[in-house]
Amino acid sequence: MDLLDFDAGPLYFDDPIAPEVTALINEASNLYPEPETEALLLRAEELAPHHLEVIVALYRYYFYQNRLDAADVIADKALAISGEGIGYPADWRELTVEQVKSGLESAATAARFWLLSLKAKAVLALRQQRIADALAMLGKL
């Protein structure tokens, strides 16, 4: 499973999301690939900037639009948001095995999402021919 296949169901995201945000994401999905899609997703991000369902929707949009730099920025947000509650460092390079174990024990779904986000960044790096970066991320995984 990777970030593109990630299901934003309640098993992973227990935080409630405003119906207005859900409506924006659904409307964006229905309009894809029209130009209005991005504006709807960015409005959803304004309303719920730390909700992982919004982050995943933005990531998918940029990835499928082949806007890999933008997708990478969103993958960084996914790492930051999912990592902050489980004590993971802001820089993935500094993550230790002990921190991974601790995160998996205290918040397995957040830790799993964090790992999937790093995998997504590695895929982006590979697609952008940044092989050394991708190998470093995959090595960390």
Side-chain angles (χ1 to χ4, degrees), residues 104-121:
L104 288 169
E105 290 171 2
S106 65
T109 55
R112 184 169 184 250
F113 184 86
W114 190 95
L115 293 167
L116 291 169
S117 298
L118 186 57
K119 180 181 171 186
K121 282 187 63 66

Side-chain angles (χ1 to χ4, degrees), residues 66-105:
N66 203 34
R67 293 173 56 187
L68 303 182
D69 289 335
D72 195 49
V73 169
I74 298 301
D76 284 335
K77 281 186 172 186
L79 286 173
I81 292 167
S82 59
E84 70 186 18
I86 51 178
Y88 286 6
D91 185 343
W92 61 266
R93 292 166 199 84
E94 297 173 6
L95 185 71
T96 66
V97 172
E98 293 76 24
Q99 289 169 317
V100 172
K101 288 179 184 177
S102 175
L104 288 169
E105 290 171 2

